[in-house]
Amino acid sequence: MSIVFTLFKVLGGLGLFFLGMKYMGEGLELAAGNKLRTLLEKITSNRFLGMLVGLAVTAVIQSSSATDAMVVGFTNAGLMELSQTVGILFGAKIGTCVTSVLLSFDIKSIVPLFIFLGVIVMMFAKKNKYKYYGQILAGFGILFFGMDMMSGALKTLNENGLIDNILSSVNNPFVGILLGTAVTAVIQSSSASVGILMALASAGAINIDQAIFIVFGMNLGATVPAFLSAAGAKRNAKQVAVLNMLITLTGVIIMTPLTMLLPVADTIQKLLPASAAAQISAAHIFFNVAMTIILLPFASLLVKLTQKILPYEEDPEKDKMAVEYIDNRILTTPPMAVLQCEKEVARMSRLVQKNYNRAMIAFFDRDKESIDKVIDREKVIDYLSKEITDYIVKINALDLDDHDRQIVAAMYSAIQDLERIGDHAENIVEYVRSIIENNLSFSDTAMGEMRDISDKCRSLMELSFAMFNAQGGSPELIERIIQAEDSVDDCKDDYKQNHIQRMNKGECNAEAGTTFLNMLIDIERIGDHAINVAFAIPNRQKSVITAAV
């Protein structure tokens, strides 16, 4: 029974270890907030800068698997080319070593203090920013507490000879690589699996000669989550998963014989004789840094080889209704999910603007082809409205800082107005269809007035959408938007009266007159929805009032 209870301690320690890792990673990510999002935007074809970005992001979110999955999501969303991902993938592999470095410190005597301070801050801090710091402290403490508990229980099992029997075959390097790959593929976190290995080493159950090849396998197993993430994705996203595995597999193939021929394990043991955990951490760093130094100069060849293994095929869905930026894989990084949602809303605003412009072309040119284009694009707009709304609901369930939560609320409001603008553009082309079918005509004066209010509304939309997508505007821009909206309202009222007078004089028949008035109303309402979009973020209302006064 004592062995059973000891196994329970191992499992309990492992559970605390995972919980602490989750808490610390989420706290770091939330504390980074918009800074992380800004860093993620600096995606570049420069592989060295990309490596630094991948390293920094992984160091923050404490998971190379999450970074890899996020890169798959970016590529699937069309934000990155395969050649841009390679540097980030290398950087993620080095960034994941940060956790093992932290775990190598012998600070178990003060770990309870970390947990206590972290919980106190989480309970009593009023600002979210400080609560996130508390979460980092508590997670860090729980992580170490779980590892210490696991190490103690494993030491007991090792004294009974149980672990020796299990790990006796690991003296074979290839068995070690397979074991490390399998364990990490199941756990889906190289940081966690390396932490478990460090606990085993601290318990004296395994030495660095055995562990170093298990570490190699763990890095290979960490590429599996990217494959799972790419399931159902586009071909270019699948290429990222292949490239990620190809990098690590090539690294294992090169590093294994080098490690067998050179005294790598002995050197690590001599440099760090007092700490088995530090030796495991050093092996982890050695593999990833050496692999990067050797393979990064050949990144272009790895990309080409990936494209040979999995050739790109033209996506038949490219011209069909689909989101371009939002992707469920990115939800693991809330600040980035918000950013991508902003881009999808910006795309929707561009489609809405195109549809309005095309609707007015249909009116002035009596163009049946433009009517069909507006109808088809309106279906895409409706589709995006639903997809973005569903994505916003998912984002709202995540931990967000106050700024991002405000942006999400603004986007939810804005897409309702954008969708209504699309509806009004569709109304306009239905009027145009009736005008063509019934051969209705308007006076030159009426056409001039319609062109004037149409241009003013177009200008209002451009200014409003630009302000919303930039998340702010100068007092001068705010004033221009307000004046543009007032101008559209005044034109609607004036031109309505003018047209009624023309109808009374017999210059325009009743059916054409009704259509003209209905179009004025739709254009004026488009202006109302456009200004709603501009001022969707609540704190802009104060700026509006100040500017108006």
Side-chain angles (χ1 to χ4, degrees), residues 409-424:
M411 286 191 290
Y412 180 79
S413 173
I415 60 174
Q416 313 306 314
D417 285 293
L418 290 172
E419 198 271 335
R420 291 297 298 134
I421 292 173
D423 291 341
H424 287 299

Side-chain angles (χ1 to χ4, degrees), residues 90 210 273 359 432 465 534:
F90 274 110
Q210 297 169 303
V432 175
F465 295 170

Side-chain angles (χ1 to χ4, degrees), residues 337-353:
V338 174
L339 174 65
Q340 295 307 102
C341 199
E342 289 174 38
K343 291 181 179 179
E344 201 69 67
V345 174
R347 177 194 169 209
M348 183 179 175
S349 72
R350 291 192 296 271
L351 293 176
V352 165
Q353 197 164 347

Side-chain angles (χ1 to χ4, degrees), residues 6 94 118 125 148 184 269 314 358 381 425 482 493 499 525 543:
T6 305
I94 299 176
D148 185 49
T184 309
Q269 197 167 26
E314 189 65 28
R358 179 61 65 177
I381 292 168
I482 294 172
D493 293 336
H499 204 68
R525 288 178 179 169
S543 301

Side-chain angles (χ1 to χ4, degrees), residues 383-403:
Y383 170 83
L384 288 179
S385 176
K386 180 184 181 302
E387 291 298 313
I388 296 172
T389 300
D390 291 344
Y391 198 73
I392 284 175
V393 170
K394 294 175 184 176
I395 292 177
N396 265 325
L398 306 175
D399 286 322
L400 302 173
D401 64 23
D402 293 338
H403 175 266

Side-chain angles (χ1 to χ4, degrees), residues 102-356:
L102 293 174
L103 291 173
S104 67
F105 296 136
D106 185 12
I107 57 170
K108 59 186 177 183
S109 58
I110 60 171
V111 160
L113 182 62
F114 280 107
I115 299 173
F116 174 76
L117 291 175
V119 171
I120 290 296
V121 173
M122 289 171 67
M123 288 177 62
F124 297 105
K126 293 183 179 180
K127 291 186 177 180
N128 284 337
K129 178 174 67 173
Y130 299 121
K131 289 183 179 181
Y132 301 150
Y133 295 150
Q135 185 174 336
I136 295 168
L137 279 175
F140 187 64
I142 294 169
L143 182 74
F144 269 93
F145 190 77
M147 186 171 173
D148 185 49
M149 183 186 214
M150 191 165 43
S151 297
L154 287 170
K155 190 171 184 179
T156 302
L157 291 175
N158 189 47
E159 290 170 355
N160 293 332
L162 182 64
I163 297 178
D164 276 340
N165 294 332
I166 296 173
L167 296 179
S168 59
S169 62
V170 182
N171 291 317
N172 185 315
F174 301 104
V175 173
I177 291 170
L178 289 174
L179 178 62
T181 302
V183 169
T184 309
V186 173
I187 296 176
Q188 295 198 24
S189 170
S190 62
S191 295
S193 55
V194 168
I196 296 170
L197 189 63
M198 291 168 80
L200 283 166
S202 298
I206 195 166
N207 58 49
I208 186 62
D209 293 294
Q210 297 169 303
I212 192 167
F213 296 105
I214 297 176
V215 169
F216 290 2
M218 286 175 171
N219 281 278
L220 185 58
T223 64
V224 171
F227 264 98
L228 298 176
S229 178
K234 298 173 186 175
R235 179 59 67 97
N236 56 353
K238 289 184 172 71
Q239 287 179 332
V240 175
V242 171
L243 175 60
N244 187 42
M245 179 168 283
L246 184 61
I247 290 170
T248 308
L249 180 59
T250 306
V252 170
I253 292 171
I254 293 172
M255 299 300 296
T256 299
L258 283 177
T259 304
M260 294 170 69
L261 293 171
L262 300 174
V264 176
D266 289 342
T267 303
I268 291 174
Q269 197 167 26
K270 288 177 182 177
L271 290 173
L272 301 164
S275 173
Q279 291 172 14
I280 302 296
S281 177
H284 193 209
I285 295 169
F286 164 73
F287 174 80
N288 286 290
V289 173
M291 177 182 64
T292 300
I293 292 172
I294 294 170
L295 295 181
L296 189 58
F298 303 99
S300 298
L301 291 176
L302 290 169
V303 170
K304 289 178 181 178
L305 181 57
T306 300
Q307 292 169 335
K308 291 285 186 182
I309 295 171
L310 193 67
Y312 178 76
E313 295 177 354
E314 189 65 28
D315 187 358
E317 299 295 316
K318 186 175 181 180
D319 296 327
K320 297 183 180 180
M321 285 187 289
V323 292
E324 288 187 3
Y325 301 106
I326 58 178
D327 191 301
N328 287 336
R329 300 170 184 84
I330 307 174
L331 290 170
T332 54
T333 308
M336 199 63 204
V338 174
L339 174 65
Q340 295 307 102
C341 199
E342 289 174 38
K343 291 181 179 179
E344 201 69 67
V345 174
R347 177 194 169 209
M348 183 179 175
S349 72
R350 291 192 296 271
L351 293 176
V352 165
Q353 197 164 347
K354 284 182 181 179
N355 238 23
Y356 169 75

